[in-house]
Amino acid sequence: MGSLPSDVDNFCSINFTHLVIGGGTAGLVVATRLAENEDITVGVLEAGHAAYDHPGINVPGRFGETLGTEHDWQFATVPQLGLNGRSLPWPRGRVLGGTSALNYMTWNRACKEDYDAWEDLGAKGWGWQDMLPFFMKSERLHESSLEHQLANQSYFDAKFHGKEGPIHTTYSTQYGASHQFWHKTLHSLGVETNRSHFGGSNVGAWTSLTSVEPERRERSYSATAYYRPNASRANLIVLTGATVQRLLLESHPGEWIAKGAIFSYQGNDYSVKVQGEVIVCGGSVSSPQLLELSGIGNPEVLEAAGIEVKVNNPAVGENLQEHMMTMMIFETDPSIVTVEELRTDPELAKAADLEYMTSRSGLRTAIPSSVAYLPFSHYLDSSDLARIGSSFTSAASKSGKSGLSKREEILIRRFTHDQNLGQIEFNFDLSNYSPYYRSEPGKKYATMLQMLQYPFSTGSIHIPPRKEGGSSSRATSVEDKPLIDPKYYEGEGGKVDFQMMAAAQKFADRIVKTKPLADIIVRRVWPPQPASSDNLTEEKKEEDFSTWVRDNTVTDWHPVGTCAMGGEGIEDGFVVDERLRVYGVKGLRVVDASVMPLQISAHLQATVYAIGEKGASMIREDWEARGV
């Protein structure tokens, strides 16, 4: 039986033991691993289509080209009060492979303490030591040579990396002209190179690994690394172009049981049933959306949408946490060649394409790789951090809350105790990344990115209310885009986030103005360099970036937490237990970034692959132990 069947009726007639909703980053991990057991038959429903030959996906140096296209859900936030009313695009992959087909291929892990904090929140078995085997299981590291390490600081500690996993990871062969100055510049500012940034601490400067297959120099992602090599398995069936409308939940005495799904395909609705379990892998936006459309969530949200309440769980769609990002732009030495030029110079782009096709080298292989993760204490006084933490605690107590939440306690502890965690990411690359600064013809640019890793701000993702109005009145459906409200910089926690981001700009500016990196910089153009001291505070004569931060913060595309894991039941404020089973429904699990109860200091994909591996292991274990 072939995969990607053209006959939807054939798909619906299959006697599946497991049904995976979403053929994305985690979904294809789960499906492929389950299918390794020949007694399991897995069906996968994916709204997008396969795009194996798409150069905008495969060619590393063309990262970002698929954002806003048919391969992107093209979500957007509601207007954000903390961003002066701006609404931000929220790209999410609508293609086989999900967002692993669209991301910028950065491959890293968070600090050990980040995963241990999940256990503190009740996610037993999800600490660093429990996760490490699954990180390694997903990865196939291609080690850099000693010569490459010395030239590019491409260090690794082999005992923390996998060698036989599906996802290929490698260091780039081509780096922008600025990378040669990155480590020396950070050293001048007291930041050491971390030679083992996968070993439980990512603090320091390092050169980023990438999820790229080194021989062909093509993106390695879930569709090509997990699914495609196993597509011929008779017990692994994927249907693309299939958008799930809702889950099939059957009422039994004292419980609801997941039995399948209703989905649309080429304009018609179909149903598919399952013997065993339904596994939702839609990601932090679509997973809570699907639960709510199926009657699992906050009764107020569901009733407003015209959805029958089946499981009352107000935690669904809440606890949204996202990395916030700003982009400072600098004009650089005009002799430096940047990837940005390939978008404006057809001849240069043609030459780069030819070089890539013939030798798998050149600008089309370059990926941003100059990274540093730092604690706030590296550039802020401990007294300032203690004051900010105390201010948040005091405001929380005055609000009438009965103490801090466990999550808030963890975040405050990171403020008031020097735990040496990567609280801010700095990432430097040639080209203008900002959506708010227009490049001037003939000039070259570089971008300094600042990304807040542990936000206090929390928001929500919910389905919208039903549309009223005469004969067109209907209940909310999957066609109605969810209301994404990260609440950037809102509330007392948002005030903390805002102060930290404003402070980060000052250190970022200092990095770029430090030699040897400063030697290739002409001037800062965004925010514009002040012509005098007019924009400097009287107290310290330091530049104030506050207004610019509020007007230029964007998403880093790393949302988590909307189907949070932890606790022992709905009353504890979580959506899934430590085995990823949805509270209140038998035979239903969520396996993706939405289960992460607390944000981590890392780009998400390596962690999502590990969640998929661990989730699949649990599901197989439970299936194989049934009746025993």
Side-chain angles (χ1 to χ4, degrees):
M1 183 180 297
S3 299
L4 299 172
S6 58
D7 185 355
V8 65
D9 294 319
N10 178 52
F11 182 89
C12 295
S13 69
I14 296 172
N15 192 22
F16 292 116
T17 60
H18 294 77
L19 180 66
V20 174
I21 310 297
T25 310
L28 292 181
V29 176
V30 172
T32 301
R33 292 304 191 190
L34 290 180
E36 290 175 349
N37 181 334
E38 295 182 356
D39 293 330
I40 291 176
T41 302
V42 188
V44 180
L45 293 170
E46 166 55 39
H49 295 277
Y52 295 130
D53 300 320
H54 196 303
I57 292 175
N58 293 339
V59 181
R62 297 183 67 170
F63 59 85
E65 289 188 13
T66 50
L67 302 181
T69 70
E70 72 275 14
H71 299 307
D72 178 0
W73 280 99
Q74 301 182 42
F75 293 126
T77 70
V78 300
Q80 294 294 289
L81 293 176
L83 303 182
N84 289 328
R86 287 185 295 126
S87 175
L88 301 181
W90 259 44
R92 297 284 92 196
R94 187 175 187 172
V95 60
L96 193 66
T99 305
S100 71
L102 272 60
N103 65 30
Y104 287 17
M105 290 157 279
T106 299
W107 187 265
N108 73 323
R109 295 178 199 152
C111 291
K112 169 185 180 294
E113 292 85 349
D114 294 9
Y115 304 106
D116 290 344
W118 293 1
E119 282 206 303
D120 291 342
L121 291 169
K124 300 172 184 176
W126 288 84
W128 168 259
Q129 291 298 334
D130 302 294
M131 289 287 285
L132 186 57
F134 297 102
F135 278 122
M136 296 175 69
K137 187 176 182 179
S138 67
E139 181 188 24
R140 180 172 302 197
L141 173 69
H142 298 267
E143 298 182 0
S144 54
S145 67
L146 180 59
E147 180 182 11
H148 193 281
Q149 292 174 46
L150 294 174
N152 302 291
Q153 291 75 49
S154 54
Y155 303 113
F156 61 92
D157 187 340
K159 65 177 177 289
F160 292 111
H161 291 275
K163 299 292 183 65
E164 300 177 353
I167 299 295
H168 294 271
T169 63
T170 188
Y171 283 103
S172 295
T173 54
Q174 177 90 14
Y175 293 97
S178 61
H179 185 68
Q180 61 183 307
F181 306 122
W182 180 249
H183 289 261
K184 290 181 181 178
T185 299
L186 270 294
H187 294 170
S188 297
L189 294 169
V191 180
E192 296 302 315
T193 294
N194 186 339
R195 297 189 174 212
S196 181
H197 53 278
F198 283 81
S201 173
N202 60 24
V203 174
W206 36 271
T207 301
S208 180
L209 263 177
T210 63
S211 50
V212 171
E213 196 284 320
E215 297 300 320
R216 299 186 305 275
R217 285 287 156 187
E218 291 184 350
R219 177 192 298 267
S220 180
Y221 66 111
S222 65
T224 56
Y226 276 89
Y227 171 66
R228 201 176 191 183
N230 294 283
S232 62
R233 287 183 179 272
N235 63 335
L236 175 58
I237 317 299
V238 173
L239 182 66
T240 59
T243 302
V244 176
Q245 303 286 333
R246 65 183 186 278
L247 304 174
L248 285 173
L249 303 182
E250 290 186 3
S251 177
H252 289 252
E255 63 181 357
W256 288 93
I257 302 177
K259 289 293 186 178
I262 303 290
F263 66 94
S264 59
Y265 181 83
Q266 297 184 355
N268 296 307
D269 288 347
Y270 299 86
S271 66
V272 59
K273 293 197 172 183
V274 65
Q275 293 179 46
E277 293 187 296
V278 177
I279 303 106
V280 176
C281 303
S284 292
V285 176
S286 296
S287 286
Q289 177 193 29
L290 181 57
L291 293 187
E292 290 183 341
L293 290 172
S294 305
I296 305 167
N298 188 326
E300 292 183 7
V301 172
L302 302 185
E303 289 167 3
I307 305 293
E308 177 191 354
V309 179
K310 296 178 179 177
V311 177
N312 178 348
N313 188 341
V316 173
E318 295 293 320
N319 192 49
L320 173 62
Q321 301 156 63
E322 162 66 331
H323 290 155
M324 295 163 235
M325 178 168 67
T326 54
M327 305 174 184
M328 302 178 80
I329 309 301
F330 296 82
E331 184 182 344
T332 65
D333 183 327
S335 67
I336 293 175
V337 178
T338 70
V339 174
E340 186 178 7
E341 292 177 76
L342 302 183
R343 306 186 193 108
T344 58
D345 188 332
E347 290 303 314
L348 187 63
K350 184 177 179 180
D353 289 338
L354 180 62
E355 182 178 7
Y356 177 78
M357 287 186 291
T358 56
S359 65
R360 299 298 174 177
S361 62
L363 281 177
R364 290 300 195 195
T365 67
I367 297 175
S369 298
S370 302
V371 181
Y373 279 72
L374 297 177
F376 297 140
S377 59
H378 189 83
Y379 53 87
L380 287 174
D381 292 337
S382 59
S383 59
D384 290 333
L385 293 174
R387 174 182 52 78
I388 294 169
S390 177
S391 176
F392 173 80
T393 303
S394 176
S397 64
K398 290 178 181 178
S399 68
K401 291 175 59 176
S402 57
L404 298 176
S405 68
K406 184 69 174 177
R407 173 183 175 274
E408 291 170 335
E409 289 178 356
I410 292 171
L411 293 175
I412 284 293
R413 189 162 64 243
R414 291 170 177 170
F415 253 77
T416 56
H417 298 77
D418 188 3
Q419 297 188 21
N420 199 35
L421 301 174
Q423 293 170 305
I424 286 279
E425 177 188 354
F426 297 95
N427 195 316
F428 189 86
D429 193 39
L430 297 172
S431 294
N432 171 15
Y433 283 38
S434 174
Y436 303 115
Y437 181 77
R438 185 184 296 272
S439 298
E440 294 184 33
K443 292 187 176 181
K444 308 290 183 65
Y445 299 95
T447 302
M448 186 68 177
L449 302 101
Q450 297 70 234
M451 290 152 274
L452 182 68
Q453 299 300 294
Y454 302 131
F456 278 77
S457 307
T458 58
S460 63
I461 296 177
H462 293 299
I463 57 175
R466 67 186 300 163
K467 293 183 177 179
E468 303 289 353
S471 59
S472 64
S473 180
R474 61 171 176 77
T476 299
S477 76
V478 72
E479 304 304 324
D480 301 304
K481 290 195 173 182
L483 302 176
I484 301 173
D485 187 6
K487 297 189 183 299
Y488 295 123
Y489 302 143
E490 291 187 38
E492 294 301 324
K495 292 178 182 177
V496 175
D497 295 341
F498 185 71
Q499 291 180 75
M500 293 301 98
M501 284 295 277
Q505 313 311 307
K506 297 178 184 179
F507 190 72
D509 194 52
R510 187 179 168 194
I511 292 174
V512 183
K513 291 177 179 176
T514 298
K515 290 179 176 294
L517 185 59
D519 291 335
I520 65 168
I521 303 299
V522 175
R523 64 190 174 105
R524 195 185 76 208
V525 297
W526 195 250
Q529 192 75 37
S532 67
S533 61
D534 293 345
N535 293 332
L536 304 186
T537 64
E538 288 298 325
E539 182 181 357
K540 295 185 178 181
K541 289 297 181 183
E542 290 183 343
E543 191 171 357
D544 184 359
F545 290 94
S546 298
T547 299
W548 184 83
V549 166
R550 198 172 295 282
D551 290 336
N552 287 270
T553 293
V554 295
T555 172
D556 195 23
W557 311 313
H558 297 159
V560 306
T562 49
C563 295
M565 167 177 54
E568 296 182 0
I570 291 175
E571 65 279 2
D572 291 331
F574 294 92
V575 179
V576 301
D577 67 11
E578 73 275 6
R579 296 191 74 80
L580 308 180
R581 298 171 296 201
V582 175
Y583 287 122
V585 184
K586 186 177 180 180
L588 179 62
R589 305 199 203 210
V590 178
V591 186
D592 55 36
S594 72
V595 306
M596 295 164 59
L598 193 63
Q599 184 60 280
I600 61 173
S601 60
H603 294 242
L604 298 186
Q605 70 161 333
T607 297
V608 175
Y609 281 118
I611 289 172
E613 289 280 11
K614 185 172 173 64
S617 178
M618 289 176 167
I619 296 165
R620 275 189 62 174
E621 183 177 85
D622 291 348
W623 179 256
E624 292 164 3
R626 71 194 188 286
V628 177

